[in-house]
Amino acid sequence: MSVIQSVTKNSLQVRILASRKALGADAAADAGNALRDLLQRKDTVHMIFAAAPSQNEFLAALCREPDIDWRRVRAFHMDEYVGLPVDAPQRFGNYLKAHIFGRLPFLSVDYLNPDSLASTATECDRYAALLQRYPADIVCMGIGENGHVAFNDPHVADFNDPAWVKQVDLDAACRRQQVNDGCFATIDEVPTHALTLTIPVLMRAAALFCMVPGRTKAQAVWHTLHDPVSESVPATCLRLHPQATLYVDADSAPVSE
């Protein structure tokens, strides 16, 4: 049995797994079950995906889930850097194309495409319109080292944000994480701005699956579970969602949690 412990914090279900591989498999099985159930009741299902090394094992396992008609699933991604070349491997759209979007026959895949700071308002409006037309059923996500969800860092997070998609500046901890994850060699290479889906958009989904493995995330997980629910730790919003599950491994959460 790979599950070490299951606990509940407010409404948030927390599952501690023995390893990153076990975490990915457990989360993918749960997300697959939710997706199959929705596809029995709906013509199409709309999913939002995060892009980060923390999602590697989950996405690999989800691609192997059986009996899912991916041709009835619309896919979106939740954030993107501003100003990187279209073919840059660090672009989140390119990550998702390699890890899931290009591997499964989705009904559609809609990418955030911010070309420059001058064009972001138009892109925010375009993507917001798509999300309003196809509201998310399932969100597959992570938590940043600074407690962010998507690119809603503490200084820009808003639990009541009126925007659906917005441009944000990235704080130093967020940019440093991209170096810690091996995506960039130095912090100076990390873009300073991004587009992100806002917290209310993510929270509107019927089900949230949040995968957070690794020792570098242990502090963020602790604050997510123990700090007051507030924008100072944006991920604490997960504790208010009626159908959210947080998956951690032995490195990112203490067994005694």
Side-chain angles (χ1 to χ4, degrees):
M1 187 69 174
S2 297
V3 178
I4 296 175
Q5 192 173 1
S6 296
V7 297
T8 302
K9 291 291 184 178
N10 301 108
S11 297
L12 177 63
Q13 302 298 309
V14 184
R15 292 169 65 83
I16 304 174
L17 286 301
S19 67
R20 291 179 70 114
K21 184 176 180 180
L23 183 159
D26 193 62
D30 288 349
N33 286 336
L35 186 50
R36 283 184 287 268
D37 178 66
L38 283 167
L39 286 169
Q40 289 182 347
R41 299 185 280 111
K42 300 184 61 175
D43 291 335
T44 60
V45 173
H46 313 143
M47 296 182 69
I48 298 171
F49 292 90
S54 64
Q55 306 298 298
N56 287 355
E57 293 80 9
F58 164 71
L59 293 177
L62 186 62
C63 287
R64 297 191 295 267
E65 278 293 300
D67 303 320
I68 295 174
D69 187 358
W70 292 102
R71 296 167 298 179
R72 295 164 53 207
V73 179
R74 296 183 182 275
F76 298 86
H77 78 293
M78 65 177 56
D79 46 17
E80 186 60 272
Y81 294 115
V82 175
L84 283 182
V86 173
D87 60 350
Q90 297 95 338
R91 280 181 70 115
F92 293 150
N94 292 336
Y95 169 94
L96 287 168
K97 183 176 182 180
H99 285 81
I100 189 166
F101 290 171
R103 297 179 60 186
L104 297 171
F106 286 96
L107 172 63
S108 65
V109 175
D110 289 293
Y111 293 94
L112 270 167
N113 289 304
D115 295 325
S116 67
L117 287 173
S119 66
T120 55
T122 299
E123 181 62 6
C124 287
D125 290 344
R126 182 191 73 84
Y127 214 69
L130 286 170
L131 294 167
Q132 291 162 11
R133 184 176 180 183
Y134 305 112
D137 298 297
I138 294 174
V139 171
C140 303
M141 61 190 299
I143 295 173
E145 291 178 15
N146 63 355
H148 72 207
V149 289
F151 266 142
N152 296 282
D153 290 341
H155 74 292
V156 296
D158 183 350
F159 289 174
N160 299 298
D161 206 316
W164 285 63
V165 185
K166 67 181 181 181
Q167 179 186 299
V168 294
D169 62 299
L170 305 178
D171 72 17
C174 174
R175 296 175 68 223
R176 193 175 301 113
Q177 177 186 323
Q178 313 311 313
V179 179
N180 294 343
D181 283 348
C183 300
F184 296 89
T186 69
I187 195 170
D188 290 337
E189 297 177 10
V190 182
T192 58
H193 291 77
L195 298 190
T196 185
L197 275 60
T198 59
I199 289 172
V201 172
L202 303 178
M203 292 288 283
R204 285 187 186 101
L208 306 181
F209 300 93
C210 186
M211 288 61 70
V212 192
R215 186 166 287 108
T216 61
K217 299 293 182 69
Q219 187 175 19
V221 169
W222 193 94
H223 287 295
T224 295
L225 299 180
H226 294 287
D227 280 17
V229 175
S230 76
E231 286 94 340
S232 62
V233 182
T236 56
C237 69
L238 299 175
R239 287 160 42 194
L240 304 179
H241 195 282
Q243 195 63 42
T245 306
L246 172 63
Y247 303 85
V248 296
D249 64 4
D251 288 331
S252 58
V255 174
S256 59
E257 177 59 47

